[in-house]
């Protein structure tokens, strides 16, 4: 019988039983050559090598696929949607004039104004889908065909095209960084799927159009529409929307304002318009019309928001917002609507008036103007300098020596202390004081000697010696009472601290006072003795229109109505027939000139010659109080004499005051001052004019406008000359602070305090 083949069935009867070599083991016979790979035991042919590779490859693939799905599942569960990048949630804070319509400027981290999906026109929705993701409404957050196409293009060409969907772009901008790493791309893909599953297409598109960058500083479609077309996004036409959507792909390469980018932009624009045609968003006729040329964009605007005079308004507004408790995050990214007190027409008039009246060619000359509403304290206009970007020193906040414009506080102090406008004072020049010190009349009074004069006439003619006599000899503690009257009227605490009541010339305004403080303090007289702090922020609303701040007027009685009305009477005389006639306006006007003289003092000794350091006119009508100041140099203390054609406060400052007031006042609605109270003197002597020597018959000495006389400094026994306090560690709220915006130039330090105060003896 023939032997059985190794591969066939075995008949146990035809073979002898084989003893086991050891317990539990079996004997194996090696396959013989030529048996087709069949084993002696199994008797089966072995599969070819390629089939085994395919088999194990498939098994490995299935295992890897399962592991991959499991990994994606766990990654999907593990990766949560993070908090949005803070800067992409910000909205621009807009600052307006008092009418709430005319815009001053804005504060921003990014130039963005978010709008709702319903406020977005269909044109921008269609065009951005045609430009960035034509499968947007059907994909699941990822476009695998687009990804494959991008991989192919990147591998076969020099381009770096992407396959990102709108959802992916939104996720990358809002939640991630712009890094080109595999981990970021993987996270982007997972988040895109997750966002797709948790948000509707409308929500995604709304967020995308409010977030994406359109170039030239514009984030979001509303800012882009305003930037390129000067209109709200709701009014975007199809070609305008297509242009904006074209820019998204590469804002730096497709800049509508760059002529070199025109051809590239036209190519991208044609692609977008064609996509809108294929999607049925526009007709063939519209396509032929729109694709012929790019839509016209408006003239490119100056990007710096702080340029010109309005930069001072914005910076002061920012400072005042902080004072009201708003932090930088709210100010620069809270989407607030800030309505200020600045009147659009009054501010325009302030700028025009300074330009009209300032002498030409005097580049070192600094002018300040502040105008305050007496009834509320609202700052209606402010001129701090011609261009904030060139110099951040706001002279309306800094001020200088007010000179004789400080005298009304001494008048108010005297009237409150039992004296009257008819109180007799010594207006002789020179005036000899204790210790043989002398003081002379200067400035607007012409340097003349008046002899005995009334307080009213001393105010009218700005008689220095009479006011020194009032505060030094006539009133008890006259210096203290004058300083206190200035504080009650509205001069800031930081400014009044610079005054030493023991100095005989305290009433002559020898230390700096902010220009805005002087306007606010005179407003107290205009408001019949009721004082209001000046302010800038009228109201603040959030992006939903809810009031976050609304100013409340809180008046305080600084002086009695009688005192205020008599001060006004004296200051009306100044404008009618005294040193301030150039300040007369179309309405009843009261005011005071000021021309301060500065003498540098070192170690108690005068150094060099005295010079005129500042020139003022401060005045008011029943409805508006305004201070005008002229100073020179970076520290505001350089000589005006020999530099200006004429330096007296009754000249350029008074004329600037009149020019401004006549532009803003309504001659048919001036209001009226209350009649004078004619407070009776209970102290001191009452002036009684004589036929041979009256206030009116005194003849002036010739004016010396080029070279004011240098006075002898009067002293009390063992007098002490005050030293101006150094700048406080904390910024003075009346002074400008350094800008916080990173794009602005560094703000210079405020003017240095000099070694000694000026004497303010300019009249």
């Amino acid at each position: 019988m023939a032997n059985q083949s190794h591969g066939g069935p075995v008949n146990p009867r035809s073979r002898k039983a084989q003893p086991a070599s050891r317990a539990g083991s079996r004997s194996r016979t090696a396959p013989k050559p030529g048996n087709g790979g069949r084993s002696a035991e199994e008797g089966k042919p072995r599969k070819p090598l390629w089939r085994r590779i395919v088999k194990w490859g498939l098994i490995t693939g299935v295992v890897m696929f399962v592991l991959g799905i499991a990994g994606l599942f766990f990654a999907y569960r593990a990766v949560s949607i993070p908090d949005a990048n803070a800067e992409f949630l910000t909205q621009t804070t807009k600052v307006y004039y008092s009418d709430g319509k005319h815009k001053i400027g804005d504060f921003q981290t990014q130039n963005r104004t978010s709008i709702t999906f319903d406020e977005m026109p269909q044109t921008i929705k269609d065009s951005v889908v045609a430009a960035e993701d034509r499968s947007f409404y059907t994909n699941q957050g990822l476009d695998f065909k687009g990804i494959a196409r991008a991989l192919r293009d990147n591998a076969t060409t020099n381009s770096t095209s992407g396959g990102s969907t709108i959802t992916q772009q939104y996720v990358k901008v809002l939640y991630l960084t712009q890094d080109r790493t595999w981990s970021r791309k993987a996270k982007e893909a997972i988040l895109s799927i997750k966002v797709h599953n948790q948000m509707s297409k409308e929500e995604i598109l709304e967020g995308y159009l409010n977030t994406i960058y359109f170039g030239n500083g514009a984030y979001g479609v509303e800012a882009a529409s305003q930037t390129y077309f000067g209109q709200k996004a709701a009014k975007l036409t199809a070609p305008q929307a297509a242009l904006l959507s074209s820019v998204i792909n590469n804002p730096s390469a497709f800049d509508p304002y760059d002529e070199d980018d025109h051809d590239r932009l036209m190519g991208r624009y044609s692609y977008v318009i064609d996509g809108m045609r294929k999607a049925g968003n526009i007709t063939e006729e519209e396509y032929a019309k729109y694709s012929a040329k790019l839509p016209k964009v408006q003239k490119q605007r100056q990007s710096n928001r702080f340029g010109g005079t309005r930069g001072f308004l914005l910076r002061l507004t920012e400072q005042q917002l902080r004072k009201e408790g708003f932090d930088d995050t709210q100010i620069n990214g809270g989407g607030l609507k800030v309505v200020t007190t600045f009147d659009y027409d009054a501010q325009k008039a302030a700028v025009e008036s300074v330009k009209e009246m300032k002498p030409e060619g005097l580049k070192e000359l600094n002018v300040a103007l502040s105008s305050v509403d007496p009834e509320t304290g609202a700052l209606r206009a402010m001129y701090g300098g011609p261009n904030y970007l060139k110099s951040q020193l706001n002279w309306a906040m800094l001020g200088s020596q007010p000179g004789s414009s400080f005298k009304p506080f001494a008048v108010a102090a005297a009237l409150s202390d039992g004296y009257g406008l008819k109180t007799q004072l010594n207006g002789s020049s020179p005036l000899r004081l204790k210790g043989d010190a002398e003081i002379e009349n200067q400035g607007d009074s012409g340097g003349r000697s008046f002899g005995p004069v009334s307080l009213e006439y001393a105010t009218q003619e700005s008689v220095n010696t009479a006011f020194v006599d009032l505060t030094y000899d006539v009133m008890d503690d006259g210096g203290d009472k004058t300083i206190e009257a200035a504080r009650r009227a509205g001069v800031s605490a930081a400014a009044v601290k610079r005054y030493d009541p023991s100095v005989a010339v305290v009433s002559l305004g020898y230390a700096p006072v902010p220009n805005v403080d002087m306007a606010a303090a005179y407003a107290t007289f205009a408001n019949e003795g009721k004082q209001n702090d000046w302010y800038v922020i009228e109201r603040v609303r959030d992006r939903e229109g809810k009031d976050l701040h609304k100013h409340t007027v809180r008046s305080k009685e600084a002086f009695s109505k009688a005192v205020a009305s008599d001060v006004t009477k004296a200051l009306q005389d100044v404008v009618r027939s005294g040193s301030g006639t150039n300040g007369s306006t179309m309405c009843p006007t009261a005011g005071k000139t000021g021309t301060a003289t500065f003498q540098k003092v070192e170690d108690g000794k005068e150094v060099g010659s005295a010079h005129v350091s500042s020139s003022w006119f401060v005045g008011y009508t029943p409805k508006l109080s305004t201070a005008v100041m002229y100073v020179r140099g970076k520290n505001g203390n350089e000589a005006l004499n020999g530099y200006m054609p004429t330096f007296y406060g009754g000249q350029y400052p008074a004329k600037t005051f009149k020019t401004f007031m006549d532009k803003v006042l309504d001659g048919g609605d001036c209001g009226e001052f209350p009649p004078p109270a004619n407070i009776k003197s209970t102290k001191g002597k009452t002036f009684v004019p004589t036929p041979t020597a009256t206030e009116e018959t005194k003849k002036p000495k010739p004016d010396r406008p080029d070279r004011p006389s240098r006075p002898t400094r009067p002293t009390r026994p063992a007098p002490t000359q005050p030293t101006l306090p150094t700048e406080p560690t904390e910024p003075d709220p009346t002074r400008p602070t350094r800008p916080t915006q990173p794009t602005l130039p560094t703000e210079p330090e405020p003017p240095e305090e000099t070694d000694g105060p000026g004497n303010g003896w300019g009249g």
Side-chain angles (χ1 to χ4, degrees), residues 310-453:
R310 67 177 181 172
F312 296 99
L313 307 187
L314 285 173
R315 183 58 70 212
L316 180 60
T317 299
E318 182 182 33
Q319 293 166 0
Q320 294 299 306
L321 282 170
R322 291 197 184 99
K323 185 178 178 181
E324 296 297 341
F326 293 91
D327 60 30
D328 287 351
T329 300
Q330 292 173 294
I331 293 171
N332 294 310
L336 306 177
K337 179 178 181 180
V338 180
V339 178
T340 68
T341 59
F342 297 117
D343 182 87
Y344 177 76
D345 293 326
Q347 183 62 32
K348 183 178 179 182
V351 176
E352 291 175 351
S353 299
V354 171
K355 287 182 178 179
E356 290 173 14
M357 297 309 303
K358 181 181 178 182
E360 294 183 2
L362 304 183
K363 295 183 179 180
E364 296 178 18
L365 192 61
N366 304 306
V367 183
L369 184 153
S370 303
S371 193
V372 172
D373 181 345
E375 188 175 358
T376 64
L379 183 58
R380 295 303 185 195
M382 181 187 74
Y383 183 93
N387 192 336
Y388 181 83
L389 295 180
K390 292 183 179 180
S391 172
Q392 288 78 57
L393 293 176
N394 184 344
W395 291 103
M397 295 294 112
L398 291 172
S400 68
Q401 298 164 272
S404 290
S405 62
F406 201 77
K407 288 175 181 174
F409 306 130
V411 176
L415 294 174
S416 300
D417 196 40
Y419 299 92
L421 293 179
K422 297 303 180 182
T423 294
Q424 179 173 302
L425 304 173
N426 187 355
S428 299
S429 180
L431 177 67
R432 188 178 298 274
L433 301 177
K434 296 174 184 178
D436 293 329
E438 291 184 345
I439 184 172
E440 297 178 352
N441 288 325
Q442 296 179 359
D444 297 288
S445 67
R448 60 193 278 198
S449 179
F450 292 86
V453 293

Side-chain angles (χ1 to χ4, degrees), residues 585-588 621-624 665-673:
T585 74
M586 67 176 69
C587 292
T621 67
K623 295 190 175 182
L624 198 63
L665 294 174
D666 180 357
D669 187 25
C670 289
E672 295 181 354
F673 289 130

Side-chain angles (χ1 to χ4, degrees), residues 161 208 225 496 498 510:
S161 62
Y208 177 80
S225 182
V496 296
R498 299 187 178 111
Y510 70 80

Side-chain angles (χ1 to χ4, degrees), residues 6 10 15 21-22 38 49 56 96 160 182 225 239 268 367 382 427 459 488 495 512 532 607-608 632-633 636 638 656:
H6 291 288
V10 178
R15 292 185 180 180
S21 60
R22 62 175 59 91
R38 291 175 295 181
L49 180 61
W56 287 107
Y96 294 87
T160 56
W182 285 107
S225 182
R268 182 67 180 175
V367 183
M382 181 187 74
T459 305
R488 283 159 49 199
N532 293 297
V607 179
R632 178 188 175 192
E638 300 297 322
T656 304

Side-chain angles (χ1 to χ4, degrees), residues 316 319-320 323 397 492 494 534 728 730-737:
L316 180 60
Q319 293 166 0
Q320 294 299 306
K323 185 178 178 181
M397 295 294 112
S492 61
W534 66 266
E730 293 296 323
D732 185 335
T734 65
R735 291 179 178 260
T737 57

Side-chain angles (χ1 to χ4, degrees), residues 481-549:
K481 290 171 181 175
T482 298
I483 294 170
E484 175 61 16
R487 186 197 64 78
R488 283 159 49 199
V491 175
S492 61
V496 296
K497 284 180 180 178
R498 299 187 178 111
Y499 283 83
D500 183 347
S502 68
V503 175
V505 294
V506 67
S507 62
L508 306 188
Y510 70 80
V513 176
N515 177 264
V516 68
D517 281 8
M518 293 297 290
Y522 274 48
T524 300
F525 301 133
N527 198 34
E528 301 182 6
K530 297 183 181 69
Q531 188 268 333
N532 293 297
D533 293 335
W534 66 266
Y535 71 100
V536 169
I537 310 299
E538 197 67 69
R539 69 176 184 270
V540 181
R541 289 177 176 169
D542 63 16
R543 63 188 73 177
E544 280 78 36
K546 179 183 177 182
D547 280 332
L548 302 179
H549 169 79

